[in-house]
Amino acid sequence: MSTSPRAAAALLVIGALVAGVVLGVAGDRAWMHIHRQQHAPRLDRLVEHLDHTLNLTPQQDETVKQIVERHRARIEAIAATMRPQMRQEIESMNAEIEKVLNPEQRQKFQSLSQRMRQRHHGPRPAGPPLPGVH
């Protein structure tokens, strides 16, 4: 069974849209996860999870907390250096996807992207755009 060129093109566009949405959301979630000022609660939850899962002794729990605290600043510094590149790559990918969409699809894609960001991360804070990001 062969597929017509038109059907193949439609499947390609649909595949690109789905892949773009999935990658965009995943990349955006990773970026927001790394860069929000929620590292403390997330790392604290990690310690709680380890304590619960591994049944740590009080001494082990305290030692793990100290280890996490020692590494927290470096983790946040590394994450901060990745933010501009990650955001720029996501924006570049989304721009390429938008080029293969018709105007109606493009509008839906932009709306979907915005809704997903807000649902997962809340509204973005106002501020200057990142260099090189449109």
Side-chain angles (χ1 to χ4, degrees):
M1 171 171 16
S2 88
T3 306
S4 73
R6 188 176 184 140
L11 288 174
L12 179 64
V13 168
I14 290 169
L17 176 63
V18 170
V21 169
V22 169
L23 290 173
V25 169
D28 195 59
R29 289 188 78 182
W31 177 78
M32 291 299 290
H33 170 76
I34 291 169
H35 294 60
R36 278 191 163 187
Q37 293 300 326
Q38 294 183 355
H39 293 287
R42 290 183 189 269
L43 290 175
D44 291 344
R45 279 187 268 161
L46 169 66
V47 174
E48 289 172 11
H49 179 69
L50 290 174
D51 184 22
H52 176 74
T53 304
L54 303 175
N55 197 24
L56 300 175
T57 66
Q59 182 180 1
Q60 289 173 316
D61 184 60
E62 187 57 36
T63 302
V64 169
K65 285 179 184 175
Q66 290 172 2
I67 292 167
V68 168
E69 284 303 316
R70 248 192 351 260
H71 290 271
R72 183 185 311 266
R74 288 192 62 208
I75 290 168
E76 290 175 358
I78 291 167
T81 63
M82 292 172 38
R83 179 180 175 212
Q85 294 90 355
M86 188 88 157
R87 187 80 219 134
Q88 188 171 9
E89 195 61 33
I90 290 167
E91 292 297 327
S92 175
M93 177 185 65
N94 287 343
E96 285 185 49
I97 290 169
E98 287 181 10
K99 287 179 183 178
V100 301
L101 304 177
N102 67 39
E104 182 181 340
Q105 291 169 324
R106 190 175 306 115
Q107 185 177 12
K108 287 179 182 178
F109 178 74
Q110 291 167 347
S111 178
L112 178 63
S113 296
Q114 184 176 2
R115 278 195 319 262
M116 286 184 181
R117 277 193 303 270
Q118 289 175 346
R119 184 173 5 133
H120 293 292
H121 312 296
R124 291 185 184 260
L130 297 172
V133 177
H134 308 301

